Amino acid sequence: MHIHIENDASAPSALHLSPDVLQQHLDRHPELRNRFTLSENSNPAHTATFLGDCDLLWSGRKLALDSFHTPRLRWVQIMSAGVEQWLAHWPPGITLTNASGVHGAKGAEFILMAALMFNFGIPGFLQDQAQRLWRPTFGGCARGKNVLLLGVGGIGAAAASLLTAQGYCVTGVTRSGRCDADVARCIRIAETDDVLPQVDVLVSTLPLTPQTEGLFDRRRLDLLPARAGVVIVGRAAVFDYAALREKLCAGELAGAVLDVYPQEPLPVDDALWSTPGVVMTPHCSLDDHSAYLTGCLAVFIDNLVRDSRGYPLRNQVDVARGY
């Protein structure tokens, strides 16, 4: 059985998987030893040749897979949690597994930090600092404040644990209204309208699917109280950013901590750069390049073991649902 590694030449070397490293990990497991041949490529001009001969694919870059001849390919492991760009070109009959959960630890810390920033008025103080205004405010602790957590997957579940430990009252939102995370309760998306007026912090880790695109439009944003802060680390297209900016400019929200944007890199003339109350990070706040490859590789090796034993795979994407 042949595993092909497709690396992204434009990515940092810390995110490149070499055949030697993969072989070392395979050799640690008796059921995987001597079962696979390996190849690696980072030149897009040669991708088609390699894909024509592989059974399993590890990919560090996005591919329009339906444009390649892949007669033997049965399973693809990707290095991202988001899958919408893959699914737009997905051939039938191939299994897809993603890197969901690998971002969990750092993503959870970032979300907790963002929530605490709102509690202590940091977005407003940064705005005052830029204008050399001395305007102290005196708030309380975070304990007991309400967080609405959109999406309780790998990142969301890890964030729920830290937020709950900090004393926040966390309500999770999932498609089914059920989850195993450390939350006070879990509701369905259709129930969010009833909860939004009580929210202190709205956090989105949602993937982009046909069901989530544009989910938080102007109408839903208008249901949030002026004290609420918004944290977006999932997909940007879940939110109406124009409406979000208008509410921030009108002082109808406490602020926003944004790591994702409708266009990336964000154009230099985009109005978000100067929007009051916005704290911006350039789509890097969940990734830890020192540990990311190792985390993705752990998922892949575990799945290779599971596959050899006939067990269900971790992080298998439901192509119909889009996540």
Side-chain angles (χ1 to χ4, degrees):
M1 191 176 298
H2 186 71
I3 301 175
H4 175 60
I5 303 164
E6 189 72 12
N7 284 315
D8 183 352
S10 66
S13 59
L15 300 182
H16 288 200
L17 176 62
S18 71
D20 287 344
V21 169
L22 178 55
Q23 189 64 62
Q24 291 170 14
H25 282 77
L26 292 171
D27 288 344
R28 294 171 188 169
H29 299 268
E31 60 263 68
L32 302 182
R33 196 177 301 138
N34 301 320
R35 281 194 60 202
F36 303 98
T37 56
L38 308 178
S39 61
E40 184 274 338
N41 175 57
S42 58
N43 185 343
H46 300 154
T47 301
T49 301
F50 286 104
L51 292 189
D53 297 322
C54 71
D55 302 285
L56 309 179
L57 170 65
W58 163 288
S59 188
R61 69 185 184 92
K62 296 178 179 68
L63 300 171
L65 206 58
D66 59 0
S67 66
F68 294 93
H69 181 58
T70 56
R72 293 167 46 184
L73 184 62
R74 66 179 183 88
W75 167 23
V76 179
Q77 171 70 53
I78 62 174
M79 289 184 65
S80 63
V83 297
E84 68 274 6
Q85 293 184 41
W86 282 91
L87 295 184
H89 303 279
W90 196 253
I94 298 177
T95 297
L96 175 63
T97 52
N98 67 1
S100 178
V102 176
H103 302 86
K106 185 179 178 185
E109 291 183 356
F110 180 80
I111 290 168
L112 175 61
M113 176 203 69
L116 289 171
M117 287 178 72
F118 293 127
N119 188 69
F120 292 102
I122 300 302
F125 288 140
L126 289 174
Q127 183 180 340
D128 289 348
Q129 179 181 342
Q131 300 177 56
R132 303 189 181 195
L133 296 176
W134 184 273
R135 297 194 299 185
T137 59
F138 303 93
C141 294
R143 181 168 298 278
K145 293 192 175 179
N146 296 314
V147 174
L148 187 64
L149 184 58
L150 306 174
V152 196
I155 297 171
S161 295
L162 293 189
L163 290 163
T164 297
Q166 188 66 38
Y168 285 99
C169 180
V170 181
T171 297
V173 180
T174 65
R175 178 177 173 274
S176 65
R178 299 186 300 273
C179 69
D180 296 324
D182 189 6
V183 297
R185 62 171 175 153
C186 192
I187 62 174
R188 293 178 293 110
I189 290 174
E191 300 173 89
T192 55
D193 287 5
D194 296 332
V195 177
L196 288 170
Q198 288 78 49
V199 165
D200 296 293
V201 184
L202 174 66
V203 178
S204 178
T205 69
L206 287 174
L208 182 61
T209 70
Q211 290 72 39
T212 64
E213 185 171 8
L215 181 68
F216 263 75
D217 54 11
R218 183 181 302 272
R219 183 190 67 79
R220 279 204 164 102
L221 289 170
D222 282 342
L223 295 175
L224 288 166
R227 69 175 183 275
V230 177
V231 184
I232 307 177
V233 297
R235 289 299 190 240
V238 173
F239 281 76
D240 182 339
Y241 269 57
L244 177 62
R245 181 180 181 275
E246 288 178 12
K247 291 188 69 66
L248 289 163
C249 289
E252 295 173 356
L253 287 171
V257 176
L258 308 175
D259 189 53
V260 293
Y261 307 90
Q263 181 180 348
E264 296 182 5
L266 192 67
V268 295
D269 59 350
D270 194 287
L272 271 176
W273 291 106
S274 58
T275 299
V278 171
V279 177
M280 300 169 58
T281 53
H283 204 156
C284 61
S285 297
L286 308 187
D287 296 332
D288 176 1
H289 284 184
S290 68
Y292 192 69
L293 179 65
T294 300
C296 292
L297 190 53
V299 173
F300 188 44
I301 295 296
D302 180 45
N303 272 339
L304 287 170
V305 172
R306 288 168 177 263
D307 186 62
S308 71
R309 297 174 181 176
Y311 295 167
L313 302 182
R314 284 173 59 193
N315 290 3
Q316 184 167 341
V317 175
D318 186 322
V319 174
R321 291 183 179 177
Y323 61 91

